Amino acid sequence: MIKLETTTKNGDKVMAHAITKELSVTIDELITYAKLINLNVKSAQHILLIDDANKLVSYIQNEKAKLYFNSDEWESNSNINDYQNLIQFIDNTLSIIDTQIKRNSDILDNSNDSYKQLQLLNMNNNDLIEIKIYLLSKFDFSLEHLKDKLIFMKSEALEFLDIVHGSSSIWTDENLSQKKINFNFTATKIVQLYEEQLNKINNFSNVDKFFTKLLTLLKALQKSDEKFQTTDKEKLKDVLRDGYLEEYHNTLYIEWTKEIDKLNKFYIKFIKAYFTGKISENIVLEIFSILDAIKQDLEEFYLTVRSGLVTKYKENPKSELIQEVATKDRIYKIYQNSQIKFIELLKNETSQVAYRFLNSLLSELLDFKIEEKSEGYEEIYEKMIELHSTNFEIYLNDIVTYGKELEKRDMEISKLMFKMTTDLEKIGE
């Protein structure tokens, strides 16, 4: 957004004349534009609040920069004409883009700095790489990429015309049809790309602070992932070495990795949900905090408790199964703690779309299955599957009941796990 000369010390008001001066429009044009967005401007001396002034500036910039055209003005009786029209159209567009780059230099400089920081994040995990790629597409405010595409397109068009007009070239109708373009379609697509990018620039002030917060969280996520792959892995090895259980290191680290991978897959889901308008910025930040807390609890479990389960059950004939059930039971309780925080989020949310999204996310988070099957426990397996498939959306209009039903389900699952663990322990006696 361009900088307007304000009429007050705190910069909260702008005179209409300042807008006409910056945008090179007459006061009559300004009054007309203002009416179109329900602002009442009466004269060049009219005072506007800074927010209204910026809104008006954005609207005028968009209207002046629109590249809509009347196809009747373009001669299009041959493929050659279409290429000539396209070259002229691209030149006009490039001129408008250069003007916008100058007008929005401050925004573009700030956004480019943040964009470069995001580019430099070295993500090694595929799920985190997906987040990075997605955000790079969302926070790319640069018009230079569009310029590069248009310049390349123009060079191809010029190359075609050079060949056609070359003294030694003989082009048949078949040759020309193979190189045919649809000028109206191509020009309309250029308009669409330009306006999408301009709208992102005009909306930068609304997302700038959030982007900064998100960037900070992603940097922390990157460090956490690096720590898990190096420091935490070595710590687990040390813990197991102290208990003479080194041969279990690979198994337990893979087990722990599965839990971390499960959590990492959630980030892209709620980040996309924010950009599609399903959840608010506050919810995004809260879920980051919830997942971070789960990871810390998992770290504590694997570095202080998990090796004890190996020692306790390694001689049991059903060792793998009982270890899995005992481990899932404890991890499920960790996730149950996060459930309370999710319910608190729901209490403060009014959007039904957000309700359904958070409920769906929570259902995925608490979806546990016993992978190691054993005869005699079919009824327990089926009951757990039934409990996990319970649809809680019917309770979303009553958060108190919703919380109670979730707690009831969790108690049933805990009882099943406890019964299974007790029965399996007896086998080893």
Side-chain angles (χ1 to χ4, degrees), residues 7-35:
T7 59
T8 55
K9 288 183 179 180
N10 58 4
D12 63 345
K13 293 180 181 178
V14 173
M15 187 178 290
H17 174 68
I19 301 176
T20 61
K21 179 181 175 183
E22 287 293 337
L23 298 184
S24 300
V25 294
T26 66
I27 186 58
D28 289 336
E29 288 174 327
L30 185 70
I31 290 171
T32 300
Y33 281 126
K35 286 180 180 177

Side-chain angles (χ1 to χ4, degrees), residues 387-401:
L387 288 167
H388 279 302
S389 62
T390 306
N391 182 8
F392 291 98
E393 278 198 21
I394 58 175
Y395 304 111
L396 285 177
N397 289 326
D398 183 353
I399 297 302
V400 174
T401 303

Side-chain angles (χ1 to χ4, degrees), residues 98-201:
D98 285 336
T99 300
Q100 288 296 340
I101 289 174
K102 290 178 183 177
R103 283 178 177 171
N104 296 285
S105 59
D106 288 347
I107 287 178
L108 292 173
D109 287 345
N110 291 335
S111 66
N112 284 340
D113 179 58
S114 298
Y115 188 82
K116 287 175 183 175
Q117 289 186 54
L118 182 57
Q119 279 184 313
L120 291 173
L121 280 181
N122 183 27
M123 301 293 197
N124 296 317
N125 180 288
N126 288 337
D127 294 311
L128 304 187
I129 290 172
E130 185 182 358
I131 298 171
K132 177 180 174 179
I133 292 172
Y134 180 76
L135 290 178
L136 284 172
S137 70
K138 288 296 178 183
F139 290 103
D140 179 10
F141 297 93
S142 173
L143 287 164
E144 296 295 338
H145 300 317
L146 180 56
K147 278 185 67 175
D148 291 342
K149 288 179 183 177
L150 294 178
I151 290 169
F152 177 74
M153 193 183 295
K154 178 183 175 181
S155 69
E156 288 194 319
L158 287 170
E159 183 180 349
F160 170 78
L161 292 179
D162 285 344
I163 293 173
V164 171
H165 294 306
S167 57
S168 61
S169 68
I170 301 175
W171 282 75
T172 64
D173 290 340
E174 184 180 354
N175 294 141
L176 290 172
S177 65
Q178 290 175 354
K179 292 283 187 178
K180 187 169 180 59
I181 63 165
N182 184 323
F183 168 70
N184 285 353
F185 174 81
T186 305
T188 302
K189 186 63 178 177
I190 291 172
V191 171
Q192 180 185 342
L193 292 172
Y194 168 79
E195 291 191 336
E196 284 176 358
Q197 205 63 9
L198 191 62
N199 286 335
K200 284 169 71 174
I201 291 171

Side-chain angles (χ1 to χ4, degrees), residues 317-331:
K318 296 283 187 180
S319 177
E320 289 187 11
L321 177 58
I322 192 170
Q323 282 193 57
E324 181 183 0
V325 175
T327 298
K328 289 282 175 70
D329 183 37
R330 286 159 175 79
I331 291 178

Side-chain angles (χ1 to χ4, degrees), residues 18-262:
I19 301 176
T20 61
K21 179 181 175 183
E22 287 293 337
L23 298 184
S24 300
V25 294
T26 66
I27 186 58
D28 289 336
E29 288 174 327
L30 185 70
I31 290 171
T32 300
Y33 281 126
K35 286 180 180 177
L36 292 172
I37 56 173
N38 298 318
L39 288 178
N40 184 22
V41 177
K42 298 179 180 179
S43 67
Q45 285 71 45
H46 190 95
I47 304 295
L48 296 95
L49 293 174
I50 188 67
D51 287 344
D52 288 338
N54 284 331
K55 181 180 176 183
L56 183 55
V57 167
S58 291
Y59 181 75
I60 295 172
Q61 283 183 325
N62 284 342
E63 291 301 304
K64 289 186 70 177
K66 276 182 179 177
L67 308 178
Y68 294 124
F69 57 91
N70 183 348
S71 58
D72 294 337
E73 295 177 3
W74 302 85
E75 183 183 0
S76 185
N77 53 22
S78 73
N79 200 30
I80 294 175
N81 283 143
D82 277 346
Y83 273 98
Q84 290 170 334
N85 290 341
L86 182 61
I87 290 168
Q88 182 182 341
F89 190 81
I90 289 174
D91 283 339
N92 292 345
T93 307
L94 289 171
S95 176
I96 291 173
I97 288 175
D98 285 336
T99 300
Q100 288 296 340
I101 289 174
K102 290 178 183 177
R103 283 178 177 171
N104 296 285
S105 59
D106 288 347
I107 287 178
L108 292 173
D109 287 345
N110 291 335
S111 66
N112 284 340
D113 179 58
S114 298
Y115 188 82
K116 287 175 183 175
Q117 289 186 54
L118 182 57
Q119 279 184 313
L120 291 173
L121 280 181
N122 183 27
M123 301 293 197
N124 296 317
N125 180 288
N126 288 337
D127 294 311
L128 304 187
I129 290 172
E130 185 182 358
I131 298 171
K132 177 180 174 179
I133 292 172
Y134 180 76
L135 290 178
L136 284 172
S137 70
K138 288 296 178 183
F139 290 103
D140 179 10
F141 297 93
S142 173
L143 287 164
E144 296 295 338
H145 300 317
L146 180 56
K147 278 185 67 175
D148 291 342
K149 288 179 183 177
L150 294 178
I151 290 169
F152 177 74
M153 193 183 295
K154 178 183 175 181
S155 69
E156 288 194 319
L158 287 170
E159 183 180 349
F160 170 78
L161 292 179
D162 285 344
I163 293 173
V164 171
H165 294 306
S167 57
S168 61
S169 68
I170 301 175
W171 282 75
T172 64
D173 290 340
E174 184 180 354
N175 294 141
L176 290 172
S177 65
Q178 290 175 354
K179 292 283 187 178
K180 187 169 180 59
I181 63 165
N182 184 323
F183 168 70
N184 285 353
F185 174 81
T186 305
T188 302
K189 186 63 178 177
I190 291 172
V191 171
Q192 180 185 342
L193 292 172
Y194 168 79
E195 291 191 336
E196 284 176 358
Q197 205 63 9
L198 191 62
N199 286 335
K200 284 169 71 174
I201 291 171
N202 288 331
N203 195 45
F204 179 72
S205 59
N206 295 329
V207 298
D208 183 24
K209 291 181 180 178
F210 175 63
F211 185 33
T212 301
K213 292 176 184 176
L214 203 52
L215 195 56
T216 301
L217 290 170
L218 286 176
K219 288 177 180 178
L221 195 56
Q222 177 197 27
K223 289 182 179 179
S224 173
D225 186 58
E226 289 176 352
K227 173 177 172 289
F228 175 70
Q229 294 182 36
T230 54
T231 308
D232 290 345
K233 188 175 183 179
E234 289 304 311
K235 280 184 178 180
L236 180 61
K237 187 179 290 184
D238 291 340
V239 168
L240 293 170
R241 186 184 296 116
D242 292 342
Y244 304 101
L245 301 169
E246 291 176 83
E247 68 270 24
Y248 291 92
H249 178 258
N250 191 50
T251 301
L252 298 195
Y253 185 69
I254 289 174
E255 182 183 291
W256 187 1
T257 300
K258 285 181 180 179
E259 294 301 326
I260 297 299
D261 286 345
K262 175 182 176 178

